[in-house]
Amino acid sequence: MMRWLAPLRGAFGRPMGFVAGSWLVFLIAVAVLAPVLTPYDYDVQNLANAKMPPDAAHWMGTDEFGRDLLTRILYGARTSLTVSTVSIGLSLMAGLTLGAAAAYFGGWFDRVVTTVVDLTWSFPEILIALILVAIIGPGTTGTMVAIAVAYLAQFTRLTRAQILSLKSETYIEAARSLGASHKHLLFRHLIPNALAPVLVAAMLATGDAIILEATLGFFGLGAQPPTPSWGAMMSSGAAQLFTAPWIILLPGLALTMTVIAINLFGDALIAALDIRTKLRDA
């Protein structure tokens, strides 16, 4: 446990890492505690208070249906963080499994995995996500599956490259000569030593996944009403840009700050782990 906490302490020890990490911790906390922090319901309409500017009662104003915008942004953070982390987590596990197996066993399995991965890699993530959502159907589940598949190639390729560089190391040859099984070599030596750069890539991909989830929500293909989503909120706010600009600007600001924070903290984590040097030397 302490081994994994050390890079996080190193990332928080850097100025930008501390600022970005603090924002992410704060965002997660307010998203979890949203029912406690706000007295309003995210789905209850009050047309008499529609498009009210920020004031003491509604710190971020209300939307076109009179719903408290701060409340919907907090609940929207739940949607964005949950969808992005679950989808990237699924993609990470699948990519680790495929990439490690392809690199370790090689042969026809490696050729098949590499060919499929290269084919999907040639298409933008948004195109893959749109196609899959069109097949599965709009909603949170379809969005998570679409994002997971869209980023699968990235983790598979990175894991495969890491395992290929590690499996010829002396300690792997020594373990194999002592009779270590394939399972032991993969899960006790190869994957743990290849994990650090893949995890950092997953964190950076989480920021992209938040943008992708917001994009699908903007097109009405993500979380369905009345579930709040930053992308859906921006979509509905686009029509109110000149009459109530806070409806689109404030969710957009929350989205922007979150993605920037994820990327800055990811850079701090890369520096703390010295991954760029390790990848260059590999």
Side-chain angles (χ1 to χ4, degrees):
M1 179 63 69
M2 297 302 296
R3 175 187 174 187
W4 291 103
L5 289 178
L8 290 176
R9 288 199 301 267
F12 272 100
R14 300 171 184 272
M16 283 294 99
F18 177 78
V19 173
S22 298
W23 167 256
L24 294 176
V25 171
F26 170 76
L27 182 67
I28 293 171
V30 297
V32 171
L33 299 174
V36 179
L37 296 176
T38 175
Y40 303 103
D41 295 318
Y42 68 84
D43 56 348
V44 175
Q45 300 181 13
N46 185 356
L47 296 178
N49 293 332
K51 295 191 283 188
M52 289 180 57
D55 58 18
H58 302 279
W59 291 359
M60 292 187 176
T62 61
D63 65 7
E64 68 273 24
F65 297 109
R67 297 172 297 194
D68 183 67
L69 195 60
L70 175 59
T71 299
R72 290 184 59 78
I73 289 176
L74 294 182
Y75 278 92
R78 280 184 166 192
T79 302
S80 294
L81 293 176
T82 300
V83 169
S84 60
T85 54
V86 170
S87 58
I88 293 299
L90 292 173
S91 187
L92 173 64
M93 289 188 292
L96 276 172
T97 303
L98 286 174
Y104 184 80
F105 294 107
W108 67 267
F109 183 74
D110 183 31
R111 291 192 294 272
V112 170
V113 170
T114 303
T115 301
V116 173
V117 164
D118 287 343
L119 284 174
T120 58
W121 188 264
S122 62
F123 295 97
E125 287 86 357
I126 181 62
L127 180 58
I128 297 175
L130 287 172
I131 293 172
L132 290 174
V133 169
I135 296 172
I136 300 171
T140 303
T141 301
T143 301
M144 288 192 291
V145 172
I147 295 175
V149 174
Y151 286 94
L152 179 61
Q154 175 179 333
F155 300 125
T156 303
R157 285 168 61 100
L158 181 56
T159 302
R160 179 179 177 274
Q162 291 295 302
I163 298 297
L164 283 175
S165 66
L166 289 171
K167 75 174 189 177
S168 59
E169 293 287 337
T170 304
Y171 70 92
I172 298 296
E173 296 295 336
R176 185 180 290 111
S177 65
L178 291 174
S181 64
H182 296 315
K183 180 180 177 181
H184 180 87
L185 289 173
L186 278 169
F187 292 100
R188 292 294 300 273
H189 296 293
L190 290 172
I191 292 179
N193 284 291
L195 202 56
V198 181
L199 287 178
V200 174
M203 180 174 183
L204 296 174
T206 302
D208 295 336
I210 290 176
I211 296 177
L212 185 52
E213 185 274 333
T215 303
L216 294 174
F218 190 89
F219 292 138
L221 300 174
Q224 298 300 292
T227 302
S229 166
W230 287 344
M233 294 167 66
M234 294 171 65
S235 178
S236 63
Q240 320 296 329
L241 179 60
F242 297 106
T243 58
W246 54 87
I247 298 177
I248 185 174
L249 293 180
L250 293 178
L253 179 62
L255 173 67
T256 302
M257 290 178 62
T258 302
V259 173
I260 291 175
I262 290 174
N263 283 277
L264 289 177
F265 190 76
D267 286 341
L269 197 57
I270 289 173
L273 290 168
D274 199 22
I275 288 177
R276 288 193 176 96
T277 300
K278 293 177 181 177
L279 290 176
R280 186 169 58 249
D281 295 340

